[in-house]
Amino acid sequence: MAWTQQEVRELKEGRYMLIDDEPCRILSIQTSKPGKHGEAKARIDAVGVFDGSKRSVVFPVKHKVQVPMIGKKQAQVLSMTDAEVQLMDLESYETFTLPLDAETRAAVAPGAEVQYVDAMGKRRITRT
């Protein structure tokens, strides 16, 4: 299992949660007061870790949501092409390829170390 469960009231800004089966980093949380016949609700604004799209959801504060297990790891760049980069994890020595975008291509060079996130079976370079 690549996620755990937490109640909405336990979430904090900067942490992660799953929205539409996509790991998202929480940007802001606003909670409303309970109404006459209802319970307090929380509006959560988040941005996708892998796709970068913004998402907003509203849940009761006692609702349980899924929180992904996010691994931040180091890797070394082995080789590069125009479309992808081959990396080797510095702990497990596993090699894998990731697609390259324009901004990452300019900052990465063979032999350099990068930081990447690993969540829900997906990987993405975050820091060079």
Side-chain angles (χ1 to χ4, degrees):
M1 181 179 343
W3 50 267
T4 61
Q5 283 193 336
Q6 273 188 331
E7 286 190 3
V8 172
R9 65 179 164 204
E10 298 170 349
L11 297 175
K12 294 186 171 124
E13 292 179 12
R15 301 258 175 100
Y16 299 92
M17 70 178 287
L18 286 179
I19 301 175
D20 301 328
D21 290 330
E22 183 70 29
C24 297
R25 187 172 56 82
I26 298 171
L27 299 175
S28 66
I29 301 174
Q30 295 98 25
T31 56
S32 64
K33 294 183 178 180
K36 186 174 180 183
H37 297 289
E39 58 181 300
K41 299 213 174 19
R43 175 188 168 90
I44 301 170
D45 295 319
V47 63
V49 173
F50 297 108
D51 60 4
S53 64
K54 291 189 177 184
R55 296 173 169 86
S56 294
V57 291
V58 177
F59 289 122
V61 293
K62 292 183 181 178
H63 184 77
K64 290 196 180 282
V65 293
Q66 297 171 344
V67 178
M69 301 292 210
I70 303 269
K72 294 181 181 175
K73 301 178 181 180
Q74 295 286 110
Q76 183 178 6
V77 178
L78 296 178
S79 66
M80 291 175 55
T81 65
D82 290 338
E84 60 186 20
V85 60
Q86 184 179 21
L87 301 172
M88 178 181 68
D89 187 288
L90 292 178
E91 283 184 25
S92 66
Y93 302 110
E94 169 193 8
T95 60
F96 54 92
T97 58
L98 294 178
L100 265 178
D101 56 357
E103 64 185 50
T104 309
R105 184 181 305 117
V108 174
E113 288 187 13
V114 295
Q115 184 179 33
Y116 71 97
V117 292
D118 184 10
M120 306 289 293
K122 298 179 184 176
R123 294 179 175 141
R124 180 176 158 244
I125 295 174
T126 55
R127 192 175 298 157
T128 57

